[in-house]
Amino acid sequence: MPWMLPTILKNFFGGPATRLYPAEVREPFEHARGQVSFNEDKCTLCGTCVRRCPAEALSQDKEKNELVFYPARCIICEVCADICPRKAIDLIYKWRLPFYTKPVEVYKPRGKESGKAEKEAAATREPALNN
Amino acid sequence: MAARTTVPFGPQHPVLPEPIQLKITYEDEKVVEVVPAIGYGHRGIEKACELNEYTKNIYLCERICGICSYIHSVSVVEVTEKLWPVELPPRVKYLRTIWAEMSRTHSHLLWLGLLADAFGFESMFLQFWRIRERVLDLLEMTTGQRVIQSVNVVGGVRRDISPEQKKTCIETLNTVRKESEALIKVLTKDYTVKSRTIGKGVLTKEQALQLGCAGPTLRGSGVREDARLTKYDAYGELNYEPVVEEAGDSYARALVRARELFQAIDLQLEALAKLPEGEIAVRVRGNPPANEDVMRTEAPRGELFYYAKGNGTRNLERLKVRTPTFANIPSLLVMLPGCELADVPVIVLSIDPCISCTER
Ligand code: SF4
Ligand code: SF4
């Protein structure tokens, strides 16, 4: 293996290639996609994200005023965050920890009550992409 | 006459992370017959694509393959765009080319590592994968995810490469090139590597053409054929020439991939330098019209073929995918007979089989 020698020597004196995870964590990249986070204050339960989610990870119940999120189905594609007219969904860089039972998150949107804010947001919103 | 034994290779085998079975008949230590059996990983994605809205197909088709996921998403997006047809801004074409070549870089690094692993060169395997990590970091930085990028939409892309990211990309790609050069030297000069690959699994030019092989398997047999020659995306504007090796054995296929690795880095650097300013997405209105079209793209493993038929509704009437490994599996029936038992894993790996792609 003479041709491998330079690499071997470099590794021998170069220190470890890995980090001491979890003590030492790499800085996340800006806008890397970790998991979905909702803002109940902004959401008006318009249902756009429910219709567009490719993984059917969202469902809504207009009568009970509930938006239900199934994190185990979410593929972290960011479609809901791009498409939401009120920007009530955001993707944060923080991995969801492993779970034993599939979690179900129920949100109670309050965005409708603040109707004025809704109009303002609608006026300033950027056009969503074609997803 | 020597005794004949039939040994199943797979569906669970250390060199293949995915399930394929080859029923191999040996005479003493020599292979005399190979019968492949596929179908362990069928997921019905083509049918599911017909039931989905066309915008959701992108996220499903990306999951056909974990390694060439980006090329799958480019193909499904571009075949859908061809139905209108949509005129893409130049920046989108360049961005798609850059990411496609990035995924080719990491796929070839992965394969070179697996090749080293197949003949027991564990340290080289991990060194290649260590370099690959840098490319995955670049993908995460520019698209938001390491493996399944989810960055294409019909009519454009969802992320842009900022000037700072461009600088980091160029620096990292140069490091990747320097580090790969040191390791490729081992691949091309080391006695162990040569003795395990040269002359093993020879596929002549005529056989490769007759069996309809694709990608590095075809180019390793001396055929100048590559879907990038159709000048889709920005390839028409870049300095691109297919890598061809004449010998047709496992070593030639390894060399094709090694040279393509450097070529992919060059293409990325060139595309980054030429990256035009402008929009990253155009608005596409309405549903896919009643129309049909095909798209040929070059995945790391060979030519990927998509066919789409629209019918004016939100759902496509038909989406057909033909993946490169499906075209390459028949070549094993020619390459394996006559080789030794111990060479089977290396030869099977030399076509870079991706079984979940094949079965969808
Ligand atoms: S999160 Fe946004 S898109 Fe979803 S229901 Fe609420 S307002 Fe509508
Ligand atoms: S990130 Fe994607 S999969 Fe997850 S909830 Fe949003 S749209 Fe659905």
Side-chain angles (χ1 to χ4, degrees):
Chain A
M1 322 244 140
W3 302 102
M4 199 66 186
L5 261 182
T7 316
I8 293 171
L9 287 177
K10 206 175 102 204
N11 288 342
F12 216 62
F13 299 107
T18 46
R19 279 177 214 94
L20 275 175
Y21 190 82
E24 198 183 318
V25 184
R26 189 197 66 188
E27 273 295 297
F29 291 111
E30 211 186 336
H31 305 307
R33 301 198 290 270
Q35 59 168 291
V36 176
S37 87
F38 285 90
N39 185 340
E40 291 178 326
D41 289 330
K42 284 190 185 171
C43 173
T44 53
L45 207 62
C46 68
T48 315
C49 57
V50 178
R51 281 196 304 278
R52 293 298 184 83
C53 172
E56 293 174 10
L58 295 160
S59 75
Q60 60 173 353
D61 191 328
K62 287 244 173 185
E63 273 164 28
K64 286 199 218 151
N65 189 33
E66 275 177 0
L67 185 70
V68 188
F69 175 51
Y70 305 94
R73 290 191 199 161
C74 175
I75 55 172
I76 321 169
C77 62
E78 214 183 355
V79 167
C80 51
D82 274 355
I83 213 86
C84 174
R86 301 289 317 272
K87 296 274 169 269
I89 307 182
D90 216 352
L91 262 88
I92 48 173
Y93 189 91
K94 189 166 157 275
W95 305 115
R96 190 174 285 279
L97 296 173
F99 35 73
Y100 286 105
T101 48
K102 290 184 181 171
V104 177
E105 292 175 6
V106 180
Y107 294 95
K108 296 266 181 204
R110 290 185 294 269
K112 271 212 183 107
E113 291 144 30
S114 52
K116 210 174 131 220
E118 185 185 348
K119 272 185 201 134
E120 274 168 23
T124 55
R125 83 171 210 238
E126 294 163 26
L129 283 168
N130 315 304
N131 36 33
Chain B
M1 190 189 136
R4 286 195 170 197
T5 330
T6 304
V7 182
F9 176 92
Q12 304 297 333
H13 191 278
V15 297
L16 298 170
E18 294 169 290
I20 180 175
Q21 189 182 41
L22 298 170
K23 284 202 190 82
I24 305 183
T25 308
Y26 297 97
E27 212 172 79
D28 290 342
E29 288 249 320
K30 284 248 182 300
V31 177
V32 286
E33 201 192 359
V34 184
V35 181
I38 59 172
Y40 294 93
H42 181 63
R43 290 162 288 164
I45 287 185
E46 282 183 14
K47 183 68 194 169
C49 282
E50 292 166 23
L51 307 176
N52 262 349
E53 283 171 26
Y54 76 96
T55 46
K56 295 183 183 176
N57 283 348
I58 306 161
Y59 307 100
L60 188 56
C61 287
E62 267 182 330
R63 283 161 177 78
I64 289 179
C65 178
I67 306 299
C68 27
S69 69
Y70 189 76
I71 313 274
H72 276 278
S73 83
V74 167
S75 313
V76 69
V77 161
E78 296 199 354
V79 78
T80 320
E81 281 163 359
K82 274 182 165 185
L83 298 179
W84 271 276
V86 178
E87 187 54 47
L88 288 177
R91 192 172 176 93
V92 173
K93 293 185 179 174
Y94 271 82
L95 287 173
R96 284 185 183 169
T97 311
I98 291 167
W99 284 319
E101 289 303 319
M102 239 178 231
S103 68
R104 190 182 320 278
T105 315
H106 91 72
S107 169
H108 281 353
L109 282 169
L110 172 122
W111 181 83
L112 287 163
L114 286 178
L115 176 78
D117 185 44
F119 51 71
F121 205 153
E122 298 280 340
S123 55
M124 191 154 88
F125 158 61
L126 281 174
Q127 294 305 317
F128 272 121
W129 281 40
R130 179 176 166 180
I131 307 175
R132 176 175 176 254
E133 218 44 44
R134 295 187 192 280
V135 187
L136 290 181
D137 277 353
L138 281 189
L139 278 169
E140 184 177 355
M141 179 184 77
T142 49
T143 67
Q145 283 282 28
R146 278 159 53 91
V147 177
I148 307 279
Q149 285 84 18
S150 299
V151 80
N152 284 316
V153 282
V154 174
V157 291
R158 293 160 69 192
R159 295 277 175 112
D160 201 354
I161 296 185
S162 69
E164 300 87 64
Q165 287 176 341
K166 188 167 146 181
K167 221 173 110 222
T168 321
C169 283
I170 294 173
E171 274 164 22
T172 314
L173 287 171
N174 283 324
T175 320
V176 168
R177 191 206 320 251
K178 214 170 92 227
E179 290 179 344
S180 317
E181 264 163 9
L183 282 180
I184 297 289
K185 211 184 262 171
V186 185
L187 190 81
T188 52
K189 297 202 170 154
D190 198 271
Y191 168 75
T192 334
V193 181
K194 283 185 169 179
S195 62
R196 289 302 304 272
T197 50
I198 291 184
K200 312 283 184 203
V202 179
L203 184 72
T204 62
K205 190 172 179 174
E206 290 71 36
Q207 284 170 335
L209 284 171
Q210 208 173 16
L211 293 167
C213 297
T217 312
L218 185 60
R219 292 195 286 278
S221 297
V223 185
R224 186 182 174 275
E225 177 63 59
D226 190 314
R228 283 174 283 180
L229 290 173
T230 60
K231 302 194 181 4
Y232 69 95
D233 282 351
Y235 288 108
E237 293 156 44
L238 299 177
N239 181 13
Y240 167 71
E241 180 56 37
V243 174
V244 179
E245 288 282 338
E246 299 295 331
D249 55 4
S250 304
Y251 189 63
R253 290 189 280 278
L255 284 186
V256 168
R257 294 201 176 88
R259 284 172 54 199
E260 272 190 8
L261 169 71
F262 296 118
Q263 188 191 43
I265 296 175
D266 288 341
L267 284 172
Q268 284 166 64
L269 291 174
E270 194 186 342
L272 279 168
K274 284 188 185 169
L275 191 62
E277 293 298 322
E279 291 278 294
I280 58 160
V282 286
R283 225 173 214 307
V284 181
R285 301 210 179 266
N287 297 331
N291 197 356
E292 56 181 347
D293 217 320
V294 297
M295 181 75 203
R296 292 168 64 200
T297 46
E298 185 73 14
R301 286 158 184 75
E303 183 180 317
L304 181 62
F305 176 89
Y306 266 70
Y307 163 85
K309 184 166 188 234
N311 54 7
T313 65
R314 287 195 74 77
N315 297 34
L316 293 178
E317 189 157 315
R318 180 84 174 98
L319 187 78
K320 162 87 189 122
V321 185
R322 198 200 71 158
T323 57
T325 307
F326 188 69
N328 283 337
I329 285 179
S331 67
L332 287 179
L333 308 192
V334 180
M335 286 195 262
L336 285 174
C339 80
E340 303 263 332
L341 170 65
D343 292 329
V344 173
V346 178
I347 297 175
V348 171
L349 206 81
S350 76
I351 67 162
D352 200 356
C354 176
I355 309 304
S356 60
C357 261
T358 309
E359 299 172 358
R360 303 179 294 283

